[in-house]
């Protein structure tokens, strides 16, 4: 027997549930350590070994061109567009493009399984990662579970089942660890469908966010920070509640976001084959970034189900970002009337399309840079990728 027949990881043991993870408080609970692939954690963990550039080269055959403004912000790409399903999937987060691609891949036999996350029976927001093998199982995973989710915890089952063609749906930190162990999974083909991700929380943090922000926290079935500068909550009875970003109780919410997300610089899921989000698109539309040929192959499967339009960009974000840095730092909360007024003004004259996406990236990268610098100064240089340093350098930061 050679070491190829018996790779070393198979002798490793998953860490016990609830035990401290190697990344300590920075762990995003991506699920890798719940499997024998914990063997690779020092190299693979997004919070122990930031290696986006190198993995971009392995996944897309090149790293992003930092002199191309779109690649600097949104990563390696062949094309970007705004899109929406002609017939939205009821109950999906947006129009259901992610679920639609996954269903086509299963129905056409392109993959044998899809790693995605359903919810537990007891809790609509409690994450339960699965390997879906039917369209029904993919549909049961639709809508965001807005909490840290151990999607990679099912990877050991993939290798044990002998599956050879797999689609993984996930957020940036999950996908970075996945790419780092990709060659060990025994697959012939891996497809990766990513979503952007920011400001994620533990389940307890989510409860605090809902209780601090919504009038009826127990009936929320869905929420999103939308391009109109408001948080939209959808409730069980179908009603919508909106709260302006500028009215969020930043002083109470400062500690709610997971430390992993406060130190993350992979908002746009740099290593996925295709990314489906919303923030670079006009209100009501989704935003798609095709990174490589595999991503294009995935998009082609749903071309007849979607309307598309070119991406647009309007406004100038920079002054708003610069002003928000000290305000966030001091935990300033505006009175609700002022927040609403500011929301209306910003929506009328503020950044739209790709400029809104840049606004959100700049605001989060500057905040996260400060957080990392203050809390993990020894990690700062290696942990912040070059593209993020260039983005942050545009602004004046407090110490
Ligand atoms: P659906 O068809 O409803 O499918 C959603 C898919 O997401 C499912 O397949 C499910 O497996 C997967 N999923 C759900 N929860 C998680 C989770 N916690 N971890 C990993 N996978 C999960 N887009 C932006 O443009 N800007 C953002 O700031 C942004 N923040 C996000 C934060 C989080 C925590 C998540 C999970 C997503 C975020 N997105 C963001 C992506 C966006 O909200 C939508 O998920 C995306 O546009 C797909 O919509 P859809 O209707 O096509 O998805
Ligand atoms: Fe392990 Fe993932 Fe946590 Fe890193 S983020 S310590 S790989 S579970």
């Amino acid at each position: 027997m050679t070491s190829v027949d018996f790779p070393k990881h198979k002798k490793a043991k998953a860490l016990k549930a609830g035990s401290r993870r190697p990344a300590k408080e920075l762990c995003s609970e991506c699920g890798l350590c719940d499997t024998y692939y914990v063997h690779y954690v020092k190299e693979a963990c997004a919070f122990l070994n930031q290696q986006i550039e190198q993995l971009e080269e392995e996944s897309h055959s090149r790293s992003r061109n930092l002199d191309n403004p779109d690649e600097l912000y949104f990563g390696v790409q062949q094309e970007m567009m705004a899109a929406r399903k002609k017939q939205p999937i009821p109950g999906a987060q947006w129009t259901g493009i992610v679920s639609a691609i996954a269903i086509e891949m299963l129905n056409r036999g392109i993959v044998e399984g899809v790693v995605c996350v359903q919810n537990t029976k007891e809790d609509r927001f409690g994450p339960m990662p699965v390997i879906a093998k039917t369209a029904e199982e993919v549909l049961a995973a639709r809508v965001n579970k807005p909490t840290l989710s151990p999607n990679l915890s099912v990877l050991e089952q993939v290798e044990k089942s002998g599956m050879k063609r797999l689609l993984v749906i996930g957020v940036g930190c999950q996908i970075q660890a996945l790419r780092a162990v990709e060659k060990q999974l025994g697959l012939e083909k891996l497809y990766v469908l990513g979503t952007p991700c920011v400001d994620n929380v533990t389940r307890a943090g989510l409860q605090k966010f809902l209780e601090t922000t919504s009038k009826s926290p127990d009936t929320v079935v869905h929420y999103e920070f939308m391009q109109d500068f408001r948080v939209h909550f959808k409730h069980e009875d179908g009603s919508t509640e909106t709260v302006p970003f500028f009215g969020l109780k930043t002083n109470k919410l400062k500690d709610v976001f997971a430390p992993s997300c406060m130190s993350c610089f992979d908002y746009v899921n740099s290593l996925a084959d295709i990314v489906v989000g919303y923030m670079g698109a006009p209100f009501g539309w989704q935003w798609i970034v095709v990174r490589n040929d595999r991503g294009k192959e995935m998009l082609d499967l749903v071309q007849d189900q979607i309307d598309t339009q070119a991406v647009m960009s309007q406004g100038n974000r920079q002054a708003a970002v610069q002003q928000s840095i000290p305000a966030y730092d001091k935990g300033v909360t505006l009175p609700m009337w002022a927040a609403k007024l500011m929301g209306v003004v910003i929506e009328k004259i503020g950044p739209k399309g790709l400029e809104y996406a840049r606004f959100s990236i700049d605001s989060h990268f500057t905040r996260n840079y400060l957080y990392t610098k203050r809390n993990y100064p020894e990690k700062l240089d290696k942990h912040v990728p070059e593209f993020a340093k260039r983005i942050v350098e545009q602004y004046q930061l407090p110490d």
Side-chain angles (χ1 to χ4, degrees), residues 379-392:
K379 280 177 86 76
L380 188 71
D381 191 44
K382 168 79 178 58
H383 184 68
V384 184
E386 189 53 36
F387 64 84
K389 285 182 184 147
R390 290 219 194 166
I391 289 172
V392 170

mmCIF file of all heavy atoms in Angstrom, residues 379-392:
data_model
loop_
_atom_site.group_PDB
_atom_site.id
_atom_site.type_symbol
_atom_site.label_atom_id
_atom_site.label_comp_id
_atom_site.label_asym_id
_atom_site.label_seq_id
_atom_site.Cartn_x
_atom_site.Cartn_y
_atom_site.Cartn_z
ATOM 1 N N LYS A 379 -0.894 39.406 13.583
ATOM 2 C CA LYS A 379 -1.413 38.691 12.409
ATOM 3 C C LYS A 379 -1.632 39.626 11.217
ATOM 4 O O LYS A 379 -1.769 39.178 10.080
ATOM 5 C CB LYS A 379 -2.797 38.088 12.743
ATOM 6 C CG LYS A 379 -2.767 36.798 13.521
ATOM 7 C CD LYS A 379 -4.192 36.331 13.851
ATOM 8 C CE LYS A 379 -4.821 35.517 12.760
ATOM 9 N NZ LYS A 379 -4.352 34.162 12.673
ATOM 10 N N LEU A 380 -1.701 40.937 11.514
ATOM 11 C CA LEU A 380 -2.209 41.901 10.531
ATOM 12 C C LEU A 380 -1.585 41.746 9.137
ATOM 13 O O LEU A 380 -2.278 41.576 8.142
ATOM 14 C CB LEU A 380 -1.997 43.318 11.056
ATOM 15 C CG LEU A 380 -2.637 44.412 10.222
ATOM 16 C CD1 LEU A 380 -4.160 44.392 10.362
ATOM 17 C CD2 LEU A 380 -2.116 45.785 10.628
ATOM 18 N N ASP A 381 -0.259 41.781 9.069
ATOM 19 C CA ASP A 381 0.385 41.851 7.760
ATOM 20 C C ASP A 381 0.086 40.626 6.906
ATOM 21 O O ASP A 381 -0.280 40.726 5.745
ATOM 22 C CB ASP A 381 1.898 42.032 7.941
ATOM 23 C CG ASP A 381 2.535 42.380 6.613
ATOM 24 O OD1 ASP A 381 1.945 43.236 5.899
ATOM 25 O OD2 ASP A 381 3.558 41.775 6.261
ATOM 26 N N LYS A 382 0.183 39.465 7.482
ATOM 27 C CA LYS A 382 -0.002 38.220 6.724
ATOM 28 C C LYS A 382 -1.486 37.941 6.457
ATOM 29 O O LYS A 382 -1.877 37.385 5.429
ATOM 30 C CB LYS A 382 0.650 37.070 7.530
ATOM 31 C CG LYS A 382 0.344 35.663 7.077
ATOM 32 C CD LYS A 382 1.187 35.285 5.870
ATOM 33 C CE LYS A 382 0.989 33.869 5.371
ATOM 34 N NZ LYS A 382 -0.327 33.480 4.986
ATOM 35 N N HIS A 383 -2.342 38.369 7.407
ATOM 36 C CA HIS A 383 -3.754 38.010 7.301
ATOM 37 C C HIS A 383 -4.512 38.882 6.292
ATOM 38 O O HIS A 383 -5.503 38.440 5.703
ATOM 39 C CB HIS A 383 -4.417 38.111 8.683
ATOM 40 C CG HIS A 383 -5.841 37.662 8.668
ATOM 41 N ND1 HIS A 383 -6.199 36.343 8.448
ATOM 42 C CD2 HIS A 383 -7.012 38.347 8.797
ATOM 43 C CE1 HIS A 383 -7.518 36.244 8.457
ATOM 44 N NE2 HIS A 383 -8.023 37.441 8.662
ATOM 45 N N VAL A 384 -4.058 40.123 6.108
ATOM 46 C CA VAL A 384 -4.781 41.013 5.185
ATOM 47 C C VAL A 384 -4.201 40.846 3.778
ATOM 48 O O VAL A 384 -3.033 41.136 3.548
ATOM 49 C CB VAL A 384 -4.658 42.494 5.631
ATOM 50 C CG1 VAL A 384 -5.487 43.383 4.715
ATOM 51 C CG2 VAL A 384 -5.095 42.654 7.076
ATOM 52 N N PRO A 385 -4.999 40.382 2.831
ATOM 53 C CA PRO A 385 -4.482 40.194 1.470
ATOM 54 C C PRO A 385 -4.110 41.535 0.829
ATOM 55 O O PRO A 385 -4.653 42.582 1.212
ATOM 56 C CB PRO A 385 -5.649 39.553 0.709
ATOM 57 C CG PRO A 385 -6.724 39.286 1.694
ATOM 58 C CD PRO A 385 -6.419 40.037 2.953
ATOM 59 N N GLU A 386 -3.226 41.472 -0.156
ATOM 60 C CA GLU A 386 -2.737 42.695 -0.806
ATOM 61 C C GLU A 386 -3.890 43.541 -1.371
ATOM 62 O O GLU A 386 -3.897 44.763 -1.249
ATOM 63 C CB GLU A 386 -1.755 42.288 -1.928
ATOM 64 C CG GLU A 386 -0.991 43.409 -2.581
ATOM 65 C CD GLU A 386 -0.240 44.324 -1.596
ATOM 66 O OE1 GLU A 386 0.269 43.815 -0.578
ATOM 67 O OE2 GLU A 386 -0.189 45.541 -1.866
ATOM 68 N N PHE A 387 -4.901 42.883 -1.975
ATOM 69 C CA PHE A 387 -5.999 43.667 -2.577
ATOM 70 C C PHE A 387 -6.735 44.465 -1.499
ATOM 71 O O PHE A 387 -7.137 45.608 -1.714
ATOM 72 C CB PHE A 387 -6.957 42.773 -3.382
ATOM 73 C CG PHE A 387 -7.706 41.735 -2.586
ATOM 74 C CD1 PHE A 387 -8.869 42.048 -1.919
ATOM 75 C CD2 PHE A 387 -7.254 40.419 -2.531
ATOM 76 C CE1 PHE A 387 -9.569 41.081 -1.201
ATOM 77 C CE2 PHE A 387 -7.935 39.445 -1.814
ATOM 78 C CZ PHE A 387 -9.103 39.791 -1.135
ATOM 79 N N ALA A 388 -6.882 43.869 -0.304
ATOM 80 C CA ALA A 388 -7.607 44.563 0.765
ATOM 81 C C ALA A 388 -6.768 45.723 1.298
ATOM 82 O O ALA A 388 -7.301 46.794 1.625
ATOM 83 C CB ALA A 388 -7.944 43.586 1.884
ATOM 84 N N LYS A 389 -5.437 45.529 1.356
ATOM 85 C CA LYS A 389 -4.578 46.630 1.812
ATOM 86 C C LYS A 389 -4.743 47.826 0.880
ATOM 87 O O LYS A 389 -4.854 48.966 1.320
ATOM 88 C CB LYS A 389 -3.110 46.192 1.828
ATOM 89 C CG LYS A 389 -2.789 45.274 3.003
ATOM 90 C CD LYS A 389 -1.331 44.887 3.030
ATOM 91 C CE LYS A 389 -1.061 43.903 4.153
ATOM 92 N NZ LYS A 389 -0.027 42.934 3.868
ATOM 93 N N ARG A 390 -4.784 47.548 -0.433
ATOM 94 C CA ARG A 390 -4.926 48.669 -1.393
ATOM 95 C C ARG A 390 -6.254 49.385 -1.217
ATOM 96 O O ARG A 390 -6.343 50.603 -1.363
ATOM 97 C CB ARG A 390 -4.841 48.140 -2.826
ATOM 98 C CG ARG A 390 -3.477 47.675 -3.179
ATOM 99 C CD ARG A 390 -3.156 48.065 -4.607
ATOM 100 N NE ARG A 390 -1.984 47.331 -5.039
ATOM 101 C CZ ARG A 390 -1.596 47.233 -6.289
ATOM 102 N NH1 ARG A 390 -2.300 47.800 -7.245
ATOM 103 N NH2 ARG A 390 -0.505 46.571 -6.598
ATOM 104 N N ILE A 391 -7.295 48.635 -0.915
ATOM 105 C CA ILE A 391 -8.623 49.239 -0.738
ATOM 106 C C ILE A 391 -8.633 50.101 0.534
ATOM 107 O O ILE A 391 -9.101 51.245 0.523
ATOM 108 C CB ILE A 391 -9.705 48.131 -0.698
ATOM 109 C CG1 ILE A 391 -9.862 47.533 -2.104
ATOM 110 C CG2 ILE A 391 -11.041 48.660 -0.173
ATOM 111 C CD1 ILE A 391 -10.735 46.304 -2.202
ATOM 112 N N VAL A 392 -8.068 49.580 1.599
ATOM 113 C CA VAL A 392 -8.065 50.296 2.885
ATOM 114 C C VAL A 392 -7.209 51.562 2.809
ATOM 115 O O VAL A 392 -7.536 52.594 3.412
ATOM 116 C CB VAL A 392 -7.573 49.355 4.011
ATOM 117 C CG1 VAL A 392 -7.330 50.107 5.305
ATOM 118 C CG2 VAL A 392 -8.577 48.225 4.241
#
